[in-house]
Amino acid sequence: MFAGNHSRNLSRLGALAVAMLASTAAFAQVSDDLVKIGVLTDMNGPASTPTGQGSVTAAQMAVDDFGGRVLGKPISVIVGDHQLKPDIGGAIARRWYDVDQVDLIVDVPVSAVGLAVQNVANEKKKLFITHSTGTADFHGKYCSPYAMQWVFDTRALAVGTAQAVVKRGGDSWFFITDDYAFGHSLERDASTVITANGGKVLGSVKPPLATPDLSSFVLQAQASKAKIIGIAAGPPNNMNEIKTGSEFGVFKGGQQMAALLALITDIHSLGLPAAQGLLLTTSFYWDMDDKTREWSKRYFAKMNRMPTMWQAGVYSSVTTYLNAVKDAGTDEPLKVAAKMREKPIEDFFSRNGKLREDNLMVHDLMLVQVKTPEESKYPWDYYRILAKISGEEAFGPIDPACAMAKK
């Protein structure tokens, strides 16, 4: 009898030891006993308002809301400033992955820096999620199992805006296009959709980046009599063109301007008197529904301004990443990425979201129009939502140039 009890006790102890070892093994799957997330951004330059400290705050909010730990290990957030320079961005990413044992890099405004960081992520076999890199090549010919694009690409904004506007009667366009690859790709993608939907492109002008006086370009667009003046530009030209157009009476004359890239912080900076009537596409608007308002008001309490789509996207992706680490039982990059692709991404930021096999997060967008000062009822009440654009429609099919595409 005693021998039987002793045997049973040994059996229980053995089972307990196995369970403890299994548990320890699960915890040991977190490299360096720490999950480290690096926010690589522009802290002081022209992209610092729509990304910058706001992206850092969004990442930290995600970590805090997750409880600060995953698989029993702490989560930390570190910050780097790439100053919009690809060599600096690449060097920081290399040091973070090699020396600081960073598991995930997020944010990274401007495509040239994003692609530089993507190269390092591929080489080091570590994860990178971009929110403010727009080039569609990121998930096209340069697609990578280690790099994800979360918020937008140039095609989605250009195609989404052009298609929705043409459907609403804006069937003649004239473009003011930044004279470099980003602007050209916006104009090309939008023009293809405009003509495919029965519209016409009457012409375009191409000011160089950061042109101080855009008057002549805006006057040419105005003289075209096109219903829509398409702004295929990023900062600072895009906002200066909209401001100049307002001063020249473009909106009052019956024409509309459609910005292929504009953020709510841009509208705030311009002010409603200058921006009123502007059409644009966005992945996120803080005042869309109860879920967006609840999160954005918490963010506002920390930053004293409402979030851009890029900043809201940082929170969404960090939360999705941490849940995938938890589900995978490890922070091993490809296993985590596979988990991230398994489930729909439905949160305050994303509607009908899905991380595709090319690592593009496809989700619904909105066509919005900037309100008049009279229509706006409270601070940051800037947009009237005109139409929902499905993710499939905006982002389109997987680029066959992506090696990860299903054959």
Side-chain angles (χ1 to χ4, degrees):
M1 186 121 179
F2 172 80
N5 284 338
H6 183 67
S7 176
R8 277 195 298 274
N9 286 339
L10 283 173
S11 177
R12 287 193 193 107
L13 284 168
L16 183 61
V18 168
M20 287 175 72
L21 282 169
S23 173
T24 304
F27 287 162
Q29 294 302 308
V30 173
S31 55
D32 305 315
D33 292 331
L34 176 69
V35 172
K36 190 178 282 189
I37 298 167
V39 183
L40 185 53
T41 188
D42 174 26
M43 292 301 288
N44 300 295
S48 59
T49 299
T51 62
Q53 182 57 47
S55 294
V56 178
T57 296
Q60 191 62 55
M61 285 174 69
V63 169
D64 293 344
D65 289 350
F66 201 80
R69 300 178 77 81
V70 62
L71 298 177
K73 304 299 180 184
I75 309 160
S76 73
V77 175
I78 65 171
V79 183
D81 183 357
H82 62 52
Q83 302 169 48
L84 303 182
K85 295 176 180 174
D87 57 335
I88 293 176
I92 292 172
R94 190 174 298 280
R95 188 183 76 242
W96 276 2
Y97 288 142
D98 277 347
V99 179
D100 298 328
Q101 300 300 307
V102 166
D103 298 291
L104 168 69
I105 292 176
V106 299
D107 200 18
V108 192
V110 307
S111 295
V113 187
L115 291 171
V117 173
Q118 184 188 38
N119 285 337
V120 180
N122 289 343
E123 181 190 331
K124 301 300 176 184
K125 297 181 168 51
K126 293 287 192 81
L127 291 184
F128 165 38
I129 306 175
T130 187
H131 309 83
S132 40
T133 289
T135 177
D137 286 342
F138 197 88
H139 59 86
K141 63 183 178 182
Y142 299 133
C143 76
S144 156
Y146 296 98
M148 305 169 197
Q149 199 164 19
W150 204 262
V151 175
F152 84 117
D153 68 8
T154 49
R155 185 195 186 279
L157 295 193
V159 171
T161 304
Q163 190 153 291
V165 170
V166 172
K167 282 180 180 176
R168 298 175 66 83
D171 56 5
S172 63
W173 287 63
F174 187 96
F175 285 98
I176 306 176
T177 301
D178 271 358
D179 196 12
Y180 65 109
F182 174 74
H184 295 174
S185 67
L186 285 173
E187 181 186 336
R188 182 187 65 243
D189 290 342
S191 297
T192 301
V193 170
I194 291 161
T195 53
N197 283 272
K200 290 182 180 177
V201 178
L202 304 183
S204 69
V205 286
K206 294 181 170 61
L209 179 65
T211 301
D213 184 2
L214 292 154
S215 303
S216 65
F217 301 101
V218 173
L219 285 169
Q220 287 178 73
Q222 200 170 11
S224 74
K225 303 297 183 189
K227 291 180 184 176
I228 307 294
I229 298 172
I231 308 296
N237 280 9
N238 58 351
M239 292 303 108
N240 290 336
E241 286 154 7
I242 294 159
K243 187 177 180 182
T244 305
S246 176
E247 289 167 356
F248 288 2
V250 165
F251 296 111
K252 289 177 183 172
Q255 289 173 298
Q256 286 187 304
M257 287 183 136
L260 302 184
L261 173 63
L263 299 152
I264 196 164
T265 46
D266 298 327
I267 306 307
H268 185 72
S269 176
L270 273 175
L272 292 183
Q276 60 184 310
L278 181 71
L279 299 165
L280 61 103
T281 296
T282 183
S283 291
F284 175 80
Y285 177 42
W286 77 270
D287 206 14
M288 188 180 84
D289 61 24
D290 287 344
K291 283 201 294 187
T292 58
R293 281 187 286 272
E294 188 276 329
W295 184 83
S296 299
K297 285 175 180 176
R298 288 201 294 128
Y299 174 95
F300 186 91
K302 297 175 184 294
M303 288 299 300
N304 204 33
R305 60 175 177 257
M306 286 302 176
T308 63
M309 61 179 180
W310 296 339
Q311 291 158 340
V314 168
Y315 180 101
S316 169
S317 66
V318 169
T319 301
T320 304
Y321 167 78
L322 292 173
N323 275 314
V325 171
K326 181 182 172 185
D327 291 346
T330 178
D331 63 353
E332 198 280 307
L334 294 183
K335 289 180 181 176
V336 173
K339 280 292 177 188
M340 291 175 74
R341 288 190 292 269
E342 277 183 14
K343 295 179 181 176
I345 298 161
E346 196 74 30
D347 55 23
F348 79 91
F349 168 79
S350 170
R351 300 292 178 281
N352 301 307
K354 171 75 176 158
L355 186 63
R356 285 192 323 205
E357 54 264 38
D358 58 352
N359 274 345
L360 173 69
M361 207 278 272
V362 173
H363 53 283
D364 295 346
L365 307 177
M366 293 167 278
L367 178 72
V368 302
Q369 185 167 33
V370 177
K371 291 182 174 183
T372 65
E374 295 73 34
E375 288 176 301
S376 179
K377 303 301 181 196
Y378 39 86
W380 296 85
D381 176 23
Y382 293 161
Y383 293 164
R384 187 156 51 91
I385 298 171
L386 301 180
K388 186 186 89 171
I389 306 163
S390 76
E392 289 74 17
E393 201 175 9
F395 290 97
I398 291 175
D399 186 338
C402 173
M404 294 156 61
K406 285 180 176 174
K407 300 290 186 263

